[in-house]
Amino acid sequence: MSDDEKGFATRAIHAGFEPDPQTGAVNVPIYASSTFAQDGVGGMRGGYEYARTGNPTRTALEANLAALEGGSYGRAFSSGMAATDTALRAMLRPGDHLVIPDDAYGGTFRLIDKVFTHWGITYSTVAVDDPTAVRDAITDATKVVWIETPTNPLLNIADIAAIAEVSQEAGTKLVVDNTFASPYLQQPLALGADVVLHSTTKYLGGHSDVVGGALVTNDAELHDAFGFLQNGAGGVPGPFDAYLTMRGAKTLAVRMEQHCTNAEAVVDLLAGHSAIATVIYPGLDEHPGHDVAKRQMRRYGGMVSVRLAGGRQAALDLCARTEIFTLAESLGGIESLIEHPGAMTHASTAGSALEVPDDLVRLSVGIEDTADLLADLEQALG
Ligand SMILES: *Cc1c(COP(=O)(O)O)cnc(C)c1O
């Protein structure tokens, strides 16, 4: 059976590594070796020479991630930002333009706005929940359309297939940051994307114990360009990080099911609570992106945002009072997290068009017992 004939959970557990022929080890070893002995000059034994160029633990992870996205090629990086930086440098040259979401991940926006603009790259921001707006933002100089869906922290939904069509017609490449959905819930390559990006720090790693990134594509030229920069610029993960990420990815299917189940229960509780003004979740019928999300996602994910009826102070109080939901940035781990985007992850957007409401609280719903999470939120809301 080839990988693409297997179900998602089977691929997650098996793709990328066969039991070691010598020892029978069922898991990929952590190859803590920076260099590899050669049999005579240029005589590589297993295709490896130096670990920036390639390391067997990283190779296993890369094959695993490619299989999970239904893609031909994967590349792993030391962080989501290293993957972002690599994709941008591989796909853009001075004079080129790219289109990004008006609520892009803050680090992505910062890298483009504070670094790439110095190298002759220009960009436009658009509301990516409107494919027509994306088309209107594309110019003759546009080489890349970059989207996220769902977005952070307002969970807006972009129609990947519609934007892929727009970008193909214009002759640009489409990159989808699939971090929030994970490959279990959403498969952008099958919907027409050229490249899928992950911060594997989040759901793929899934245990808040490792930082990493990935790029997956079916385009051999882009894959080569990403590999050239892995070796040429060096933003690669070490073997222990690659191992931890692959260990996390193996359980993605069961974790995502429980993240979704718990998030749905949290949404039910909060939607009926007098302290909550609005619940934002793509699974709700009234969410403006619900129909698109229903088409392109398996379920609606573990991220829930709420606006408090009592305004900013009520939002800060909720963050202060939860006991199981830990007050922290980041997301996608097995443990539930709570944060105030306006004062934490999105503080840098204050005063800009990207500013988030100050009564907003973002929950990364973990996989603890559902009843305990609900009880925690209820006591914290008072
Ligand atoms: C966290 C995140 C990134 C950046 O990834 P790091 O692993 O933190 O470098 C990029 N995009 C999204 C949507 C993220 O949540």
Side-chain angles (χ1 to χ4, degrees):
M1 228 195 298
S2 72
D3 272 341
D4 18 325
E5 290 168 313
K6 292 177 193 146
F8 187 93
T10 308
R11 273 180 279 153
I13 292 164
H14 295 287
F17 188 71
E18 294 286 331
D20 183 66
Q22 236 178 343
T23 63
V26 295
N27 283 305
V28 65
I30 300 167
Y31 285 94
S33 196
S34 61
T35 190
F36 299 85
Q38 304 191 8
D39 293 325
V41 175
M44 286 185 277
R45 289 179 197 177
Y48 296 96
E49 51 190 332
Y50 183 62
R52 168 158 40 73
T53 325
N55 172 288
T57 316
R58 188 174 103 210
T59 302
L61 171 65
E62 292 175 334
N64 183 267
L65 295 175
L68 291 188
E69 282 291 356
S72 311
Y73 311 108
R75 297 282 187 192
F77 296 87
S78 54
S79 67
M81 290 318 305
T84 300
D85 178 57
T86 298
L88 293 169
R89 274 189 289 152
M91 300 172 82
L92 296 165
R93 294 290 176 272
D96 291 346
H97 171 262
L98 82 158
V99 176
I100 61 171
D102 63 6
D103 54 354
Y105 174 72
T108 306
F109 176 75
R110 183 177 56 199
L111 178 65
I112 292 166
D113 183 61
K114 299 272 190 277
V115 179
F116 278 85
T117 53
H118 295 307
W119 300 93
I121 306 290
T122 57
Y123 69 91
S124 308
T125 60
V126 296
V128 294
D129 54 1
D130 177 7
T132 314
V134 174
R135 182 168 57 216
D136 293 346
I138 294 175
T139 71
D140 291 344
T142 308
K143 293 288 156 39
V144 170
V145 173
W146 187 286
I147 63 171
E148 288 168 34
T149 181
T151 62
N152 177 22
L154 293 171
L155 307 178
N156 288 317
I157 301 292
D159 185 334
I160 298 171
I163 294 174
E165 210 177 297
V166 162
S167 106
Q168 259 155 32
E169 271 167 23
T172 69
K173 300 279 189 198
L174 175 62
V175 180
V176 178
D177 181 336
N178 203 26
T179 300
F180 263 48
S182 90
Y184 180 70
L185 297 179
Q186 179 171 280
Q187 305 251 296
L189 295 176
L191 296 168
D194 297 288
V195 178
V196 174
L197 178 135
H198 279 284
S199 166
T200 57
T201 313
K202 315 296 168 52
Y203 286 106
L204 274 162
H207 295 72
S208 305
D209 55 4
V210 59
V211 171
L215 294 171
V216 179
T217 183
N218 289 321
D219 183 323
E221 255 175 65
L222 283 177
H223 176 65
D224 285 348
F226 299 156
F228 179 83
L229 285 170
Q230 273 185 321
N231 184 49
V236 293
F240 188 60
D241 286 4
Y243 169 80
L244 277 178
T245 304
M246 188 154 166
R247 177 181 160 107
K250 285 174 193 283
T251 55
L252 184 66
V254 285
R255 283 189 287 107
M256 287 316 293
E257 287 292 341
Q258 195 59 34
H259 280 296
C260 292
T261 297
N262 281 354
E264 286 164 13
V266 162
V267 165
D268 274 352
L269 172 83
L270 297 178
H273 200 288
S274 59
I276 302 295
T278 319
V279 179
I280 304 170
Y281 188 65
L284 288 169
D285 285 340
E286 64 261 33
H287 187 289
H290 178 67
D291 290 341
V292 174
K294 195 171 179 172
R295 266 204 313 276
Q296 71 189 15
M297 298 177 78
R298 192 198 292 253
R299 292 179 75 180
Y300 303 100
M303 300 301 296
V304 179
S305 290
V306 292
R307 297 184 67 174
L308 277 285
R312 179 172 195 271
Q313 193 53 50
L316 295 173
D317 288 347
L318 174 60
C319 293
R321 286 185 193 144
T322 54
E323 288 165 9
I324 298 175
F325 280 84
T326 302
L327 179 62
E329 299 190 356
S330 198
L331 61 115
I334 48 177
E335 68 288 291
S336 292
L337 302 178
I338 188 166
E339 67 122 359
H340 185 269
M344 296 170 65
T345 49
H346 291 67
S348 65
T349 64
S352 80
L354 307 189
E355 183 169 336
V356 293
D358 66 0
D359 56 7
L360 188 78
V361 168
R362 188 188 78 179
L363 303 171
S364 173
V365 181
I367 63 170
E368 299 94 337
D369 286 293
T370 317
D372 292 339
L373 296 182
L374 299 184
D376 190 32
L377 289 171
E378 249 174 327
Q379 68 76 23
L381 286 166

